[in-house]
Amino acid sequence: MTTTTRRQHTLRGHLPGRHTARAASSVEHQAMLASRLTTRDKWLLALLHEHRVLTTSQIQDAAFPSGRSARQRLRDLYLWRAVSRFQPFQQLGSAPMHYVLGPAGAAVLAAEHGLEVKELGYRHDRAMGIAHNQRLAHTVGVNDFFTSLIARTRHTPAARAEAVVAWWSESRCARHFGDLVIPDGYGRWRTRVGTAAREVEWFLEFDTGTESLTKVGRKLAGYARLAESTGIATPVLVWLPTTRREAGARTALARVHADLDDPRAVPVATAAADLLDPTAPHPSPAEAVWLPLTSARVDRAGPRYSLADLADAWPGLAPPAGLATEDGDGEVGEVGDVAAASPYRLPPPSSVPPPATPNRVARGEH
């Protein structure tokens, strides 16, 4: 009928059938996946398990050379139930596809570590529940922060000497530091100049503009207790949506920061998303957008630092120590070991994607 105009994409052929949840856990299906999943696929599954949800563009930024190659591979992983997906409602336009770990992907991860799926704490309904979680936008925003850093190192020639060497999720931070403070993420950035390398680590506080600025400032007290407990001064980076919001946040942060017993134990810097050039090929928080918080400079005046040079803003800051590690027995390294890890928690996935491998499976063969 003329009142129901059909769009071109509806005329395409039907997608191949998708395996049921029970079939995805079968021996036959797992045997099929053994011949088809690449190292990069398995890395992506571990990344989804760690960070809960990633959009198509974030997955492309993290591991694929183009949007087309990312969509094609994600389509295969979706049909094999290695990943699941949903598209949130958006009043204007359409939201990007969001991906979570699927039943077959969870079975692969568990088998690789000699575990049962239930020992991972994985449930498909719980994984898909992020689609209705009120913190979905916040979680996606935090993941966008880190995947944009990875994209910079992969696609910007001048940034090839830079790398994200650590990316911990909020849940992993909660297991380590949750009795004192729960950061939105933990990261570490390495820059090489010749044969020398320097690193900066940070806790991320990602602000979407919905939280009161007073509450944002109060979080510094928790970071002060963490610094006192560990003896490590770790910078706290506060990422805000606009410079106007940043100005208000700096006032709230400065008020609390000045009252800390040892303000130098909690280095703080702020930045705003609208400082990035949206027309740049790969804008990221690695650019010179960070403004340290000092008693002498609360407003937006003064030089801003790049992520690589941020440590220069705090001359007395000690270089980062070795990374904490976790294995399948729940043992945690010495650095930042405030709370014991879950018994069967997987180690954090590498923040550097493995190289792509040729896909030997002909398209259309599912």
Side-chain angles (χ1 to χ4, degrees):
M1 296 177 63
T2 57
T3 57
T4 56
T5 303
R6 182 169 294 181
R7 294 187 177 184
Q8 179 66 29
H9 70 83
T10 64
L11 303 178
R12 298 172 184 168
H14 295 292
L15 286 175
R18 188 165 183 249
H19 297 277
T20 65
R22 178 171 294 182
S25 302
S26 68
V27 174
E28 293 78 8
H29 189 70
Q30 291 298 309
M32 180 275 292
L33 289 180
S35 67
R36 299 190 179 188
L37 292 183
T38 66
T39 303
R40 184 176 61 180
D41 293 335
K42 294 178 181 179
W43 174 80
L44 177 57
L45 298 180
L47 209 65
L48 288 172
H49 179 62
E50 173 79 12
H51 301 291
R52 300 191 66 186
V53 59
L54 294 168
T55 66
T56 306
S57 60
Q58 289 172 352
I59 293 171
Q60 176 191 336
D61 284 345
F64 288 87
S66 67
R68 182 175 181 271
S69 61
R71 289 189 297 271
Q72 286 179 342
R73 194 56 182 169
L74 287 169
R75 175 181 178 274
D76 290 337
L77 295 175
Y78 170 74
L79 292 174
W80 299 334
R81 292 192 71 96
V83 301
S84 294
R85 67 189 185 189
F86 63 90
Q87 193 172 25
F89 170 76
Q90 190 166 296
Q91 195 165 13
L92 297 176
S94 58
M97 199 65 72
H98 290 52
Y99 290 86
V100 301
L101 185 64
V108 169
L109 283 181
E112 282 198 322
H113 294 271
L115 303 173
E116 299 291 335
V117 173
K118 63 181 180 181
E119 293 175 320
L120 288 180
Y122 172 85
R123 279 177 40 185
H124 189 226
D125 59 341
R126 189 177 299 165
M128 287 296 291
I130 188 70
H132 307 285
N133 194 300
Q134 293 182 350
R135 286 174 57 84
L136 172 62
H138 181 271
T139 303
V140 171
V142 171
N143 293 346
D144 201 50
F145 180 98
F146 285 98
T147 53
S148 65
L149 289 175
I150 297 174
R152 171 186 170 90
T153 64
R154 295 181 60 238
H155 300 294
T156 306
R160 295 292 170 83
E162 299 172 330
V164 182
V165 294
W167 172 18
W168 286 9
S169 64
E170 180 182 11
S171 60
R172 188 174 297 274
C173 289
R175 288 192 302 276
H176 280 269
F177 320 115
D179 55 340
L180 299 173
V181 68
I182 303 179
D184 292 326
Y186 167 83
R188 187 175 289 201
W189 183 255
R190 176 181 297 158
T191 307
R192 291 192 178 276
V193 180
T195 58
R198 62 184 303 191
E199 291 186 3
V200 60
E201 63 178 345
W202 70 90
F203 291 121
L204 176 65
E205 285 294 333
F206 189 92
D207 177 74
T208 60
T210 59
E211 199 171 44
S212 71
L213 293 176
T214 303
K215 186 175 181 180
V216 173
R218 285 202 301 263
K219 293 181 179 181
L220 295 187
Y223 286 107
R225 291 192 296 270
L226 177 62
E228 182 181 3
S229 175
T230 62
I232 302 172
T234 304
V236 178
L237 304 188
V238 185
W239 184 258
L240 300 119
T242 65
T243 51
R244 181 177 180 179
R245 173 80 173 176
E246 181 189 18
R250 289 180 66 82
T251 301
L253 290 166
R255 189 179 302 114
V256 178
H257 195 258
D259 291 337
L260 297 178
D261 293 337
D262 185 7
R264 292 176 301 176
V266 189
V268 179
T270 65
D274 63 359
L275 292 171
L276 299 178
D277 181 5
T279 63
H282 299 284
S284 78
E287 298 173 22
V289 295
W290 296 101
L291 184 60
L293 182 73
T294 64
S295 57
R297 184 179 295 122
V298 175
D299 60 13
R300 289 174 288 173
R304 290 186 181 263
Y305 292 79
S306 67
L307 192 57
D309 296 331
L310 195 53
D312 296 337
W314 304 294
L317 186 67
L323 276 171
T325 59
E326 299 178 41
D327 60 21
D329 294 325
E331 297 179 0
V332 185
E334 295 179 357
V335 180
D337 184 9
V338 178
S342 177
Y344 296 106
R345 196 67 190 180
L346 300 186
S350 170
S351 51
V352 179
T357 53
N359 182 10
R360 297 181 290 105
V361 180
R363 292 203 53 78
E365 180 186 344
H366 303 291

